[in-house]
Amino acid sequence: ADNCQEPALRIKLIGYIFSACSLGYILGPFFGGLVATHWGYESPFIITAISILALLLWIQYSYPEHNIKLDKTKIEWLEAITTFKTVFTDKSLRIIYMINFSIFFAVQGLYRVAPLYIENEWHPDLSMFTRMIAYVSFMCLLANMFLLGQLAKRWQPKQLLTGL
């Protein structure tokens, strides 16, 4: 997606990337709940860790790096850290930072608070809880697969990102 020059296709491909993430949120809780029910709560984490290592090795050997190597320059750590002061001092960027923070805060609320509320309010068993998380993630998958591409045909990336 990052090498694609056509804006509408780039957005569609990014939607596919998010669809793959949604697929992880669907299959992870669904199968993780099944595995944990039978083999213990730690088993999904062990399976995931082994799978990630296998995936990293596969990517390393299947996709060689094609970027041009640049000369390494020394990082000015103090300068890099103090750049964060622009969050408070740059008035033109302040609203963008606040919107970004609000979106981040809302997403974290969705993925952190909603499951806690479900657990505290309805006390579902592990199997039901993981199916509910998988269902919500499935809705996100459908939106990324089918809606994002259609929206990208109608609006430019800047307009689309601003609206979303």
Side-chain angles (χ1 to χ4, degrees):
D2 63 339
N3 289 328
C4 181
Q5 298 301 316
E6 184 184 335
L9 181 58
R10 183 181 320 125
I11 291 172
K12 185 177 181 178
L13 293 174
I14 289 171
Y16 287 162
I17 292 169
F18 282 114
S19 296
C21 293
S22 294
L23 189 60
Y25 280 110
I26 295 166
L27 297 177
F30 185 75
F31 288 116
L34 293 174
V35 168
T37 302
H38 296 292
W39 294 322
Y41 289 115
E42 73 282 352
S43 55
F45 296 101
I46 293 169
I47 292 169
T48 300
I50 292 169
S51 299
I52 288 172
L53 287 173
L55 180 64
L56 287 173
L57 290 173
W58 176 71
I59 289 171
Q60 177 69 32
Y61 292 107
S62 298
Y63 297 99
E65 183 64 57
H66 296 294
N67 291 335
I68 298 170
K69 302 291 181 196
L70 301 174
D71 292 335
K72 294 202 176 215
T73 58
K74 184 179 176 188
I75 296 175
E76 297 293 334
W77 290 104
L78 183 60
E79 181 182 336
I81 293 170
T82 57
T83 302
F84 287 113
K85 72 181 179 197
T86 60
V87 171
F88 306 104
T89 59
D90 190 332
K91 291 180 182 179
S92 63
L93 291 177
R94 190 177 300 151
I95 188 71
I96 295 171
Y97 286 132
M98 287 306 298
I99 291 170
N100 187 34
F101 173 75
S102 299
I103 292 170
F104 175 78
F105 192 72
V107 169
Q108 294 309 309
L110 173 68
Y111 285 110
R112 302 294 192 295
V113 176
L116 292 173
Y117 175 78
I118 290 169
E119 177 63 34
N120 289 336
E121 191 67 26
W122 295 310
H123 310 290
D125 64 0
L126 180 62
S127 177
M128 175 56 79
F129 185 76
T130 56
R131 284 187 301 221
M132 290 180 352
I133 298 296
Y135 173 76
V136 171
S137 298
F138 183 68
M139 295 297 112
C140 295
L141 173 91
L142 292 178
N144 284 317
M145 288 289 293
F146 301 111
L147 293 178
L148 196 56
Q150 297 301 318
L151 293 173
K153 290 178 185 175
R154 296 181 184 184
W155 291 292
Q156 294 296 317
K158 185 175 181 180
Q159 296 167 320
L160 186 60
L161 289 172
T162 302
L164 291 174

